[in-house]
Amino acid sequence: MNDYMIRATAAEGQIRAFAATTRDMVENAKNAHNTSPVATAALGRLMTAAAMMGADLKGEKDLLTLKIEGSGPLGGLLVTANGHGDVKGYAFNPDVMLPPNAQGKLDVGGSLDLGVLSVIKDIGLKEPYVGQTQLVTGEIAEDLTYYFATSEQVPSSVALGVLMNKDNTVRQAGGFIIQLLPGASDEIIDKLEAKLSGISSITALLNAGKTPEEILTDILGEFGLEILSKMPVQFRCDCDRSRVEKAIISIGKKEIQDMINEGREIEVNCQFCNKHYKFSVDELEDMLKRATRE
């Protein structure tokens, strides 16, 4: 498998960890939405996080949604993931261009600026769980670290990165999430903090050829790292023509009849994957007949 994610534990269950390599997933999202380099970096980071966080979903139809609404020129991001490694998402303003930040890197923080991060977990209950925090930096990894600490009370270290080539293709993408579980000893906490302080950027590790297993081994090897599972991840949208038809029917019979009377075909665009679906007047009439029978 090319893109994949691993789940792991360490320190006899006091630490849990996720790590992923997601270059193809981010490249496919970039191609679907024709995103600019900074939009690709922002979307790729959030999609990588969603892939790892989605691994915690237990139910077949459980869904995780990460939404960022920012005051910067990118506007925001919306990403969803299931528990099977399928991730989809889009940037609100995919063609935004910004100069590099003070470190000479893509200015993801500047593209989002101030705003709100929402984490929505639909796990089959009457109402989905919704957690919200303010954006701390707009750099996404730091914002998710803050979210885990404040909304879920789980001390975490989140690293996310997307490295772009000059021709606007994705060279590397990936990340890790390392979390301290309740009951972690002070000794483990101190040792882990010291270890994390010496880790270089995630994109540098990936660009050096490090695999997710090797990255977690570098960080957690001395803590008795145990890899629990490995799963492919991919950019995948579950839209299809029949689902779009149901969405059209849901707008109401009168509205569909008005479209038919106007003699115009309609085109529906999926925001998550940018696929276009066209429906002729004849197809609208067939839809209306089926809706009437039902």
Side-chain angles (χ1 to χ4, degrees):
M1 59 183 79
N2 294 322
D3 286 356
Y4 67 93
M5 180 204 66
I6 59 171
R7 297 178 61 185
T9 186
E12 299 180 336
Q14 297 178 71
I15 299 171
R16 72 170 182 170
F18 307 83
T21 177
T22 57
R23 193 206 74 83
D24 291 345
M25 179 179 77
V26 178
E27 177 73 18
N28 289 336
K30 183 215 74 174
N31 291 338
H33 296 293
N34 193 29
T35 44
S36 68
V38 70
T40 301
L43 181 59
R45 290 182 191 181
L46 198 63
M47 289 179 66
T48 299
M52 293 186 285
M53 294 170 67
D56 262 352
L57 299 172
K58 303 296 190 293
E60 189 71 21
K61 295 183 179 180
D62 289 358
L63 196 66
L64 169 79
T65 300
L66 301 181
K67 184 178 183 181
I68 292 178
E69 297 170 285
S71 59
L74 185 61
L77 303 161
L78 184 66
V79 169
T80 71
N82 59 25
H84 311 291
D86 300 324
V87 187
K88 60 184 180 180
Y90 62 91
F92 293 4
N93 297 312
D95 55 355
V96 64
M97 300 292 286
L98 285 176
N101 62 19
Q103 290 75 43
K105 297 181 179 180
L106 293 169
D107 193 6
V108 172
S111 73
L112 289 167
D113 203 16
L114 303 177
V116 176
L117 165 67
S118 301
V119 177
I120 304 157
K121 298 177 184 178
D122 188 346
I123 53 176
L125 302 177
K126 189 173 183 180
E127 296 290 337
Y129 162 85
V130 181
Q132 282 190 332
T133 57
Q134 296 294 313
L135 294 182
V136 179
T137 65
E139 293 290 339
I140 300 179
E142 290 91 336
D143 299 307
L144 282 167
T145 298
Y146 181 69
Y147 161 79
F148 282 124
T150 57
S151 286
E152 299 192 4
Q153 288 76 53
V154 180
S156 306
S157 175
V158 182
L160 303 166
V162 175
L163 183 64
M164 300 295 293
N165 292 312
K166 290 184 177 180
D167 63 356
N168 196 28
T169 56
V170 181
R171 185 187 302 179
Q172 298 291 347
F176 65 73
I177 300 174
I178 297 174
Q179 300 180 314
L180 287 164
L181 297 182
S185 68
D186 290 341
E187 179 187 1
I188 291 295
I189 294 170
D190 292 343
K191 287 176 66 177
L192 180 58
E193 287 178 347
K195 194 70 179 179
L196 287 167
S197 67
I199 298 298
S200 61
S201 74
I202 185 67
T203 49
L205 294 173
L206 291 166
N207 207 39
K210 295 279 188 179
T211 65
E213 292 89 342
E214 290 170 334
I215 290 170
L216 288 190
T217 297
D218 287 347
I219 302 170
L220 300 174
E222 65 184 82
F223 297 89
L225 177 70
E226 180 184 356
I227 306 296
L228 301 177
S229 63
K230 180 177 179 178
M231 178 173 66
V233 296
Q234 58 275 320
F235 175 72
R236 181 177 179 271
C237 185
D238 54 357
C239 74
D240 58 33
R241 197 168 184 83
S242 64
R243 296 185 74 165
V244 175
E245 285 183 5
K246 290 177 182 177
I248 294 172
I249 290 171
S250 71
I251 68 174
K253 298 174 186 177
K254 180 182 182 301
E255 287 75 8
I256 297 174
Q257 186 62 61
D258 288 343
M259 296 177 198
I260 293 170
N261 293 342
E262 292 171 11
R264 60 185 176 91
E265 68 174 23
I266 65 169
E267 182 174 304
V268 179
N269 177 59
C270 175
Q271 284 186 296
F272 283 105
C273 65
N274 220 21
K275 287 181 184 174
H276 299 274
Y277 296 89
K278 288 186 178 182
F279 296 87
S280 67
V281 172
D282 289 342
E283 288 172 317
L284 291 175
E285 288 177 341
D286 289 341
M287 257 187 263
L288 186 59
K289 289 176 183 176
R290 289 200 301 273
T292 302
R293 287 198 299 269
E294 294 171 358

